[in-house]
Amino acid sequence: MYTTDWKHEYITTNSIKLHYVTHGDGPLMLMLHGFPEFWYSWRHQIPEFAKDYKVVALDLRGYNDSDKPKQQSAYVMREFLQDVKGVITGLGYDKCILVGHDWGGAIAWSFAHTYPEMVERLIIMNIPHPAKFAEGLRTPQQLMRSSYMFLFQLPWLPEMLLQASDYQAIETAFKGMAVNKSAFTQADIDAYKDAASKRGALTAALNYYRNVWQQGLLNHNWDVLEVPTLLIWGENDTALGKELTYGTDKYVRNLQIKYIPNCSHWVQQEKPQLVNQYMREFLA
């Protein structure tokens, strides 16, 4: 799937060493993955956009080959934002096209609100605007869909469940949720299992959730975002209801939403051609 001209590099920023894969030259396109993933989630987008951009697909802190600080307090939005800012400036840029899915999308939303001057365009996939997510968590249907977030608050038990039977839960997360199961080969599943099995990676990934309530992310006052934004949404997301996208234009001045039917939460992996097409049209 990926070729030898994709480079594996490291950058030290915000007192942490982060791994990324890069390909292409030009303006910076920075890609942020979600849970339980790593840079590999963008394997269908990297070659397409490397034709016109320096594509950088990051391993977020705690994931795969990036550093995994032990203390739970290292996994808070303030730190994620400084990581992203440091990557952009450390690579010699003052702004980027920022692309995020799931947790990476949550970080991208917050980053664009905090540093709008550093984001030329924002592309978000299957994660609602934080204000809309907060609203959703006040409804029974979204609370049910997000019940795993409450399980993840527990110590050690979620790690045990995710590791059981050779990380079967990782496979179930991808293949179980996907509408088109063939979007994930056994090699893809093995890559995700291998990344999750690295020492400290599971606890780090879960710590993102364990810190979610005390950061005030869900009762924040959000200004209207001025950065042009594309929201791509796989309609068959079992974790996040499509209704969470309704009314996003209240928080984003210049917004386009593209819904993709018969597609799960893993939108850029399940319908890569369509996702790439919508990204291209938006960036044109």
Side-chain angles (χ1 to χ4, degrees), residues 158-169 196 202:
E159 282 91 334
M160 298 279 292
L161 294 171
L162 288 169
Q163 282 168 2
S165 307
D166 184 32
Y167 295 83
Q168 179 58 41
L202 273 186

Side-chain angles (χ1 to χ4, degrees), residues 31-33 39-46 99 101 268:
M31 298 178 163
L32 309 177
H33 66 80
W39 69 263
Y40 187 77
S41 305
W42 303 107
R43 63 195 175 281
H44 301 294
Q45 284 69 47
I46 295 167
V99 186
H101 170 255
Q268 79 272 33

Side-chain angles (χ1 to χ4, degrees), residues 9-20 30 32 56 58-62 66-69 74 78-92 111 115 118:
E9 312 253 348
Y10 290 88
I11 186 167
T12 300
T13 170
N14 192 24
S15 313
I16 195 168
K17 190 169 80 169
L18 299 173
H19 168 261
Y20 63 93
L30 180 59
L32 309 177
V56 169
L58 198 62
D59 281 338
L60 298 179
R61 65 163 58 206
S66 287
D67 280 354
K68 302 164 188 65
R78 182 182 65 249
E79 300 295 351
F80 307 148
L81 298 187
Q82 292 313 306
D83 291 351
V84 172
K85 186 183 183 195
V87 168
I88 296 168
T89 55
L91 291 171
F111 189 85
Y115 300 106
M118 296 185 77

Side-chain angles (χ1 to χ4, degrees), residues 110 258 272:
S110 284
K258 295 287 189 187

Side-chain angles (χ1 to χ4, degrees), residues 242-266:
K242 180 182 173 181
E243 71 279 356
L244 295 176
T245 64
Y246 304 157
T248 304
D249 51 357
K250 194 170 130 189
Y251 300 98
V252 185
R253 178 111 43 225
N254 181 347
L255 175 72
Q256 291 178 35
I257 303 185
K258 295 287 189 187
Y259 295 107
I260 300 185
N262 305 312
C263 181
S264 74
H265 179 72
W266 314 114

Side-chain angles (χ1 to χ4, degrees), residues 77 81 100-111 124 127-128 130 222:
M77 190 59 75
L81 298 187
H101 170 255
D102 185 80
W103 257 108
I107 295 167
W109 276 125
S110 284
F111 189 85
I124 302 281
I127 190 82
W222 298 93

